[in-house]
Amino acid sequence: MSLLFMLFALMGAVIVLGGGSYALRRVLAHMEARVAVAEPEPPPRAEHGNHVGGYVPIQRDPDELPAEVLSRARNLVALGRADEAVRLVRTRLGGDENRARLVVRRLGEEGRPALEP
């Protein structure tokens, strides 16, 4: 007798859960029909490129140096101390002596006067 009672209880639970699920689906469908929700706009397409965060880095000249280093190197060239200017520029360019000599040569061709005594 207890096995039959458990079977009826199980069938009752299945019917109650099924009816609740059906009722909940009907209520949600009715609420969706009344509240029209606009579709969200799709996110903008990402363009491929050299992006870092929200910024695009500037394409720099590999021989570009800070202004204070350029002025110091220009002064050394004007004073006739080109080897010191090459060493100064070479440390800033990462140890490439040929590029440093090229930069110092371009500074010497500018012909600006020295600011240091």
Side-chain angles (χ1 to χ4, degrees):
M1 185 80 161
S2 66
L3 184 59
L4 189 59
F5 178 71
M6 286 185 351
L7 186 61
F8 281 128
L10 181 62
M11 291 299 287
V14 168
I15 290 171
V16 167
L17 287 175
S21 174
Y22 175 74
L24 182 62
R25 277 187 284 153
R26 296 275 305 197
V27 168
L28 290 177
H30 180 66
M31 288 177 67
E32 258 184 30
R34 283 195 298 169
V35 180
V37 178
E39 289 289 322
E41 293 183 19
R45 297 162 85 200
E47 297 177 12
H48 296 290
N50 191 11
H51 295 277
V52 177
Y55 301 97
V56 178
I58 299 173
Q59 297 295 328
R60 291 190 165 186
D61 182 21
D63 295 336
E64 184 177 340
L65 295 170
E68 64 182 34
V69 174
L70 281 177
S71 67
R72 176 80 176 138
R74 189 176 293 122
N75 290 337
L76 288 171
V77 169
L79 292 172
R81 297 166 30 193
D83 290 336
E84 289 181 43
V86 169
R87 274 186 254 132
L88 174 71
V89 172
R90 183 180 64 195
T91 58
R92 297 300 285 206
L93 291 179
D96 188 4
E97 188 167 348
N98 291 333
R99 279 179 40 206
R101 288 196 182 281
L102 182 66
V103 169
V104 169
R105 188 177 319 127
R106 275 190 263 146
L107 290 176
E109 291 171 358
E110 289 178 3
R112 292 188 182 175
L115 300 177
E116 294 179 353

